[in-house]
Amino acid sequence: MRRLTCYVAVGAGATAVHFAVLAAMVEKMDVPSFAAAGIGAALGAQVSFIGNRWFTFAHRGHVARSWARFQTTALLGAVLSMFVVAIAVQIGLHYLIGQVTATVVNLLLTFVINRRWAFAE
């Protein structure tokens, strides 16, 4: 349970980066919301990797291997986010509602994958 709590805390910081990039790109740069969701997720993933490697999982294994595995997991999450945001917008919801939905689903899915694969001992 402690790891999940840490994962949520690290994820909150990464999500803040993700949402800030998403909103700035959509509102200020007129980037399509699905693309901005993917870019925000990619940047947030870097924040998340650093926090989860050292704080959540205290992983001391090979950095390159855990980074590659984490990025694969993050890419899966980014694609899922893009898909959920696109569907939300398509059915008339605000893009941030789609992103919040995707974030909750991603939190649970990526915790399990990262714990059992990316940062496995």
Side-chain angles (χ1 to χ4, degrees), residues 13-44 78 81-86 88-89 94-103 106:
T15 299
V17 170
H18 180 166
F19 276 56
V21 169
L22 168 63
M25 292 183 83
V26 170
E27 303 296 335
K28 303 291 184 193
M29 301 168 65
D30 204 29
V31 173
S33 57
F34 76 92
I39 294 166
L43 293 174
S81 289
M82 291 170 71
F83 181 73
V84 171
V85 169
V89 169
H94 193 273
Y95 71 91
L96 287 177
I97 292 172
Q99 187 59 65
V100 168
T101 303
T103 298
N106 274 331

Side-chain angles (χ1 to χ4, degrees), residues 57-89:
F57 299 107
H59 187 257
R60 300 297 179 246
H62 293 96
V63 174
R65 185 178 79 185
S66 62
W67 185 84
R69 288 179 173 188
F70 186 88
Q71 298 311 313
T72 300
T73 304
L75 180 60
L76 170 68
V79 169
L80 178 61
S81 289
M82 291 170 71
F83 181 73
V84 171
V85 169
I87 289 174
V89 169

